[in-house]
Amino acid sequence: MKLLPTLPNILSFARIFLTISLYFFAFMQNKGLFAIIFAITAFTDVLDGFIARKFNLETEFGAKLDSIADRIFYFSIIIWSWLLISDFILQNKFLISITLGALFATEMFKLIKFGNLGYFHLYSAKACAVSIFLFFFSAVLQLEITQTLLYLMSVIIILHCVEEIILTLLIDKSKVNVKSLFHHLGWLK
């Protein structure tokens, strides 16, 4: 396993550090600064994978570190939501509960089948990340499009969960960088 500190790994570690630092701004209710650092943190999620693929720096360690950083970041959004936009969350608790329930069920299904949470790195996960970012960024800044972005995010997340569950059923052991169900079935290269 290659553990050299590559730029993608540094970006993943930076995402973990930035995620932790965002709690300060959430507790202080500094939504403007929170939104800026949140955007930078989310950008590291895009940048680390892009650099790893572009410059052939992909490693198993890097993929796992990226997934750990992602889980810490995206789990934190649940806590930050309660701290920063609790009224909106309460107004939409049914849809948010269904969406979070689908994510939790998917993760538990992978844990039961593989003994770990799995690191597929699907394209649909990237779509989820974008939709979560757009929704949460919009909600923190109280933009008018927030409700629509919540619906869009929920649909994308639930479709992603369906894809992960199908892949989990089809794959014997946890794999990294599967890309999509269509790639796994050989329908796309």
Side-chain angles (χ1 to χ4, degrees), residues 72-140:
I72 293 169
F73 179 64
Y74 291 104
F75 177 77
S76 292
I77 290 174
I78 297 168
I79 298 167
W80 299 327
S81 294
W82 192 251
L83 293 171
L84 296 170
I85 56 170
S86 58
D87 290 342
F88 183 86
I89 297 302
L90 289 172
Q91 292 168 0
N92 294 280
K93 63 184 171 238
F94 181 72
L95 179 58
I96 292 170
S97 296
I98 290 171
T99 305
L100 289 175
L103 283 168
F104 180 76
T106 302
E107 294 296 304
M108 290 302 100
F109 188 61
K110 289 188 298 185
L111 184 61
I112 291 166
K113 170 119 187 224
F114 301 132
N116 62 54
L117 295 176
Y119 307 100
F120 290 141
H121 287 136
L122 301 173
Y123 290 142
S124 63
K126 292 163 183 36
C128 285
V130 170
S131 68
I132 291 167
F133 168 76
L134 291 173
F135 159 72
F136 190 68
F137 191 80
S138 171
V140 168

